[in-house]
Amino acid sequence: MAAVSAEELAVEPPAAARRLLGATLWSGAVGVRIVEVEAYGGDPAGPWPDPASHSGRGRTERNGVMFGPAGMLYVYLSYGMHTCVNVTSGPNGTASAVLIRSGEVIAGRETVEARRPGARSDLDLARGPGNLGSALGIMLSDYGTPLFDPSSSIRLELNRPLESTEIASGPRVGVSTAADVPWRFWLPGSRAVSVYRRSPRAPLPATESA
């Protein structure tokens, strides 16, 4: 397989998100095949303004890595308890990232089962961003890890680019602003893809609000 690098993710958010589908994210001996992602842009001054993004209002200590080079790990807590895993994208200095929503465990299953004792089936082990973070054992202290560095404990392996016919897309899950932007992408053949849930705080689409 030809060598790949973070430069393949130094592109606009949707293109980076599609490129991550089918990739393998490793954390130690645990490997997860990525089957669902969401793209997020940045602040109004950038090329991809996105009010739903953590960087939508500019750079802060929390989102600083989103403004750096592609291929870095951006980690944050959702609801103060769930570790969410993101991969930075776009050129250095321009904020964007891709949230890894769901994956299929392909290595280290016993370790993942011990971390996720409440999972109802193998498909639930890394389904949903919080569960995926738990399955991989990723913590806030892993923030900023270079995912293409062979010496990193958390590593990303890109596989072949997928054809558009292999990818489905739709609105992002749970965001209350820019709720209809179709920047969620998934592999329709995977049963580990999460269920779409629209935020109750999001305005209804124009066709439904009349």
Side-chain angles (χ1 to χ4, degrees):
M1 178 179 174
V4 295
S5 71
E7 288 303 308
E8 294 200 37
L9 302 179
V11 293
E12 63 178 1
R18 291 190 291 266
R19 187 67 184 90
L20 284 169
L21 286 174
T24 302
L25 186 59
W26 291 92
S27 180
V30 174
V32 170
R33 176 177 178 254
I34 298 171
V35 300
E36 182 185 6
V37 295
E38 284 180 345
Y40 287 90
D43 59 276
W48 312 299
D50 184 359
S53 174
H54 285 178
S55 57
R57 295 185 179 181
R59 185 170 186 155
T60 66
E61 183 177 355
R62 178 198 194 196
N63 65 30
V65 72
M66 291 182 70
F67 290 80
M72 307 294 285
L73 185 67
Y74 172 42
V75 187
Y76 64 87
L77 284 182
S78 176
Y79 299 105
M81 66 176 93
H82 303 298
T83 304
C84 294
V85 177
N86 303 257
V87 178
T88 61
S89 57
N92 193 3
T94 302
S96 66
V98 179
L99 170 67
I100 312 302
R101 283 201 56 85
S102 294
E104 298 170 347
V105 178
I106 60 173
R109 184 173 301 277
E110 290 185 1
T111 298
V112 175
E113 288 174 345
R115 291 171 175 166
R116 295 269 297 117
R120 294 171 296 178
S121 71
D122 288 352
L123 297 173
D124 289 323
L125 289 172
R127 175 191 278 153
N131 293 336
L132 182 135
S134 296
L136 289 166
I138 291 177
M139 301 178 290
L140 286 179
S141 58
D142 295 313
Y143 179 102
T145 297
L147 297 173
F148 287 87
D149 185 338
S151 66
S152 293
S153 60
I154 304 171
R155 306 171 311 285
L156 182 65
E157 292 181 357
L158 298 181
N159 295 316
R160 68 172 180 86
L162 300 178
E163 301 293 334
S164 59
T165 53
E166 300 177 87
I167 300 173
S169 64
R172 295 176 290 192
V173 176
V175 295
S176 58
T177 57
D180 298 303
V181 174
W183 280 8
R184 173 177 168 246
F185 303 92
W186 66 92
L187 300 181
S190 174
R191 294 170 58 204
V193 173
S194 68
V195 176
Y196 171 72
R197 291 186 175 88
R198 186 182 182 87
S199 169
R201 296 177 290 126
L204 292 175
T207 56
E208 297 181 23
S209 59

